[in-house]
Amino acid sequence: MDKPTDMGMNRTGIATSPIDSKRLKQAAEELTPYRGGDGAALAAARIAWSAQAEPVGTMPPPASVKGVVKTGIQMLKGNKPTVFLDKLGERAAYERAGTRLWEAMLVKHAAADVHEGGPTREEIEHIRDEELRHYAIVRDAIVKLGADPTVMTPCADVSGVIGMGLVQVVTDPRTTLTQCLEAMLVAELTDNDAWGLLANLADGVGQDEMAAQFREALVNEKEHLRKVRGWLAAALRGQAGIDPTPSHDEMEHA
Ligand SMILES: [Fe+2]
Ligand SMILES: [Fe+2]
């Protein structure tokens, strides 16, 4: 079976056929006169649409009266508790999706010819289990605030759209474990920033206990990121036929 870095029949580059590329350039010049457009009309149209567009979603009303009065969002400092709840909803969706992504990585790993310095099945299972635990942390936080953890909040929706490419890469039978590690690097970089941001927001709205839990999750995420970086660097080094041990810089750069 070919590897993606083997030479094959890739004809996407213009240098594949010098004669045809010359004709292509000629035709482009003859058939597509330059009209001096700079995209300003397009930008203006987009701005006009943006001014009228509805948001991608909104937050639901409080889940229960008991939720509002007894334990609910009144506990939150600041004048717009839905901002924090929206981000909690996003994290719940992301950690749930992260669990599934790592689950898909287990399948990818089983099918792969794993490089020296690559992940073991147990290491992938460990990260998957931590993502699931992270989901539970956020779910409990949402419930504690009297809100509904099954809600797809606007930020959850947007993060789902952002993550669509990751799901596509990781579940595509043609992609290699290394290519999928690139996708997981994006996921884990986001995880790291998102937990830090959420912990700071929790501080701000006066939820110290939550902030401490979120920072514990961040410790796990730092470890996930370090591991993914190491696996990726080792795989690429191995494939390139150089010393497979990643340098300290490759592991720690951020
Ligand atoms: Fe996570
Ligand atoms: Fe993670």
Side-chain angles (χ1 to χ4, degrees):
M1 204 91 73
D2 284 346
K3 290 194 176 0
T5 46
D6 290 344
M7 279 180 213
M9 291 298 290
N10 186 335
R11 299 159 74 95
T12 55
I14 201 164
T16 306
S17 173
I19 296 169
D20 287 326
S21 59
K22 203 169 152 197
R23 289 177 57 218
L24 185 72
K25 276 189 213 161
Q26 248 168 21
E29 275 155 23
E30 283 165 20
L31 301 176
T32 321
Y34 178 63
R35 293 185 201 280
D38 61 357
L42 189 58
R46 283 181 172 149
I47 292 166
W49 278 104
S50 300
Q52 303 166 21
E54 294 287 330
V56 293
T58 51
M59 294 296 288
S64 67
V65 175
K66 177 173 156 270
V68 184
V69 178
K70 278 182 78 183
T71 57
I73 52 180
Q74 284 177 345
M75 298 189 320
L76 297 176
K77 284 188 198 154
N79 61 10
K80 197 146 191 207
T82 46
V83 172
F84 186 51
L85 289 171
D86 187 14
K87 293 311 269 186
L88 286 174
E90 173 195 299
R91 205 89 291 281
Y94 203 93
E95 296 297 324
R96 215 165 38 205
T99 309
R100 293 188 178 123
L101 282 173
W102 280 112
E103 188 79 31
M105 285 298 278
L106 279 174
V107 175
K108 197 52 90 173
H109 183 268
D113 186 8
V114 183
H115 278 268
E116 187 186 335
T120 64
R121 183 175 179 86
E122 290 67 33
E123 284 175 308
I124 295 176
E125 283 172 343
H126 178 75
I127 299 183
R128 176 203 58 190
D129 294 347
E130 284 191 337
E131 304 300 5
L132 187 59
R133 218 172 56 227
H134 294 166
Y135 164 70
I137 292 171
V138 194
R139 178 201 58 203
D140 293 349
I142 295 170
V143 170
K144 192 181 167 203
L145 296 171
D148 177 356
T150 65
V151 168
M152 168 76 87
T153 71
C155 277
D157 190 342
V158 170
S159 89
V161 175
I162 293 171
M164 276 165 66
L166 307 184
V167 177
Q168 279 185 315
V169 168
V170 173
T171 57
D172 188 323
R174 300 166 304 172
T175 53
T176 65
L177 181 66
T178 312
Q179 289 168 335
C180 293
L181 284 171
E182 293 280 4
M184 298 318 292
L185 180 64
V186 173
E188 293 297 343
L189 282 165
T190 302
D191 258 351
N192 271 262
D193 261 42
W195 279 109
L197 192 142
L198 199 62
N200 292 339
L201 214 49
D203 282 334
V205 295
Q207 293 296 315
D208 303 347
E209 208 180 302
M210 275 181 207
Q213 281 182 316
F214 297 168
R215 291 202 169 93
E216 274 172 40
L218 180 57
V219 172
N220 300 148
E221 300 296 8
K222 282 185 176 156
E223 182 62 20
H224 298 176
L225 182 56
R226 214 184 58 81
K227 283 196 160 154
V228 172
R229 276 183 183 148
W231 294 331
L232 190 56
L236 289 171
R237 285 171 156 276
Q239 286 161 26
I242 57 176
D243 176 4
T245 317
S247 67
H248 181 76
D249 274 9
E250 280 171 291
M251 301 294 290
E252 300 302 328
H253 77 87

